[in-house]
Amino acid sequence: MLRRLYLNKLEMYVDRNVVKIITGVRRSGKTTLIRQFIEELKESNIPDERIFYVNFEGVLYSYFNKSSDLRDMMLSFVESVNGEHCYIFLDELQRVEGWEEVIAEMLNLCDCDIYVSSSNASLLRGDFAKKLDYRYVKIDVYPLTFSEYLEMTAGEPGHYAEEGSEQLSRKELFDDYLRRGFMPGAYTGCTADNEEFIKDYLRNVYNTILLKDVVQCNKLRDISHLDKIMEYILSHTGETFSPKSLRDHVKAQGVTISVDTVYSFLDALTGSYLIRKVPRYDIKADRELETHEKYYICDTAMRNAVMGDEGASYESMIETALCLELLARGFKLYVGKNNQSQIDFMGVKGDDRTYLNCCATVDDKDVAKKKFGSLVRIRDNYFKMVLSTDSETKINKGGIINYPITEFMAQG
């Protein structure tokens, strides 16, 4: 399946004198995206010899971790094409120290189009932007959205109309998406029946992220409480909490850590893209708040595979999927606070805002009162909507629309 959303972004910046930085959680499809883009270049008559690809986590190049190694490698390739315009792809470049100076030098001296990728935010630390003279664009790659899931599984039984069998409803497909999760590798070569295989795969991905992109990348030493921190985060998906409450949870289990240590671990975890932080925003005061944010894991199935029988609630899984969807659509996300009311997501694009609440159903009167009421009480003219798995569109007395989340997310 082509990751068209991201390929379009790469095509937008092709042959422009900026570094294309591709980021995203490990196994979200960055390498596959690069390979797809390389194939597009070849189809546009770019010869193989003018395309250079290196994966710095591969066996052959895993020991290339110095800027001098990177410089020699790139110069050797540029010389081999006799100065012709070329395309350079550097996968998992965060392993190379001082990469920014080398890339900036290549942009200035050579006729090349440069693409780099990273599975953690360490690539973007420090004054990298200044060293690149601000000539870069960042493209965030996320795990599969619901529309991509529908495309990837279109050939599976029940996903299309076939003689002698019933096609799954959009709601049933959405539930399957939440259960099987968002990681592309959980669908490649497997079907919905390979549940144990998928769980093992997701647990392995989770442990690899913790080891490579959290512990090793941040050179963490005392990691005895990392599992306890993640256990708390995964148990409180969709809930606001403070680092102090997380510290108290760890302390109750016999491990004493400081709030500063909790902050450093949260930074390392969000830097790996394993979890996403959504801060709170005071709508009335029009300012971002510094405490009690929400954290969402990158994949609902990974969360359930790690936590075993302690599955997340259906509502928190819906919220996690919506968080991913909105981020993939380019929204900057906040948890909205309006006096005592809370809005699940306030999405910001430029000067525009969108307020969204989500739930399983609005047929429950208490749920409907909470989800619609918090939006009605916002006194501005930005778009507001409740998303639920109900199949019909409804409008409450305050004029707020309840729209099927399956249709919203299927639109991509």
Side-chain angles (χ1 to χ4, degrees), residues 27-132:
R27 299 291 180 267
S28 60
K30 298 185 300 300
T31 297
T32 299
L33 174 68
I34 289 173
R35 289 172 178 165
Q36 290 177 353
F37 187 64
I38 289 175
E39 287 305 310
E40 286 198 353
L41 290 176
K42 292 178 180 179
E43 290 173 3
S44 64
N45 298 319
I46 304 298
D48 288 10
E49 57 268 22
R50 285 166 51 195
I51 300 174
F52 182 64
Y53 170 84
V54 176
N55 187 329
F56 287 92
E57 289 200 335
V59 176
L60 291 177
Y61 297 99
S62 59
Y63 57 90
F64 280 70
N65 54 16
K66 297 180 181 178
S67 59
S68 57
D69 296 330
L70 179 63
R71 180 182 290 104
D72 292 343
M73 183 190 303
M74 295 177 71
L75 285 174
S76 177
F77 170 70
V78 171
E79 290 172 2
S80 72
V81 297
N82 299 315
E84 288 189 86
H85 185 70
C86 56
Y87 300 83
I88 298 175
F89 297 86
L90 307 171
D91 209 352
E92 301 295 351
L93 188 61
Q94 72 274 1
R95 296 176 58 89
V96 180
E97 295 183 9
W99 66 272
E100 312 96 313
E101 292 92 340
V102 178
I103 298 301
E105 180 182 347
M106 295 299 295
L107 281 178
N108 290 328
L109 298 180
C110 306
D111 186 12
C112 55
D113 206 22
I114 301 176
Y115 303 77
V116 306
S117 81
S118 174
S119 290
N120 57 66
S122 62
L123 190 80
L124 310 177
R125 287 177 181 161
D127 57 351
F128 85 97
K130 184 177 181 180
K131 291 178 180 178
L132 291 176

Side-chain angles (χ1 to χ4, degrees), residues 199 202-203 206-207 210 226-237 249 253 297 299-313 316:
K199 285 182 179 179
L202 293 173
R203 280 190 288 263
Y206 174 84
N207 290 328
L210 288 184
L226 179 57
D227 286 342
K228 295 180 177 62
I229 289 175
M230 278 305 301
E231 176 187 304
Y232 184 86
I233 293 171
L234 297 180
S235 298
H236 292 77
T237 299
H249 167 79
Q253 298 184 57
I297 192 168
D299 180 21
T300 52
M302 181 185 291
R303 185 258 178 226
N304 291 340
V306 170
M307 296 295 284
D309 294 334
E310 299 178 30
S313 69
S316 70

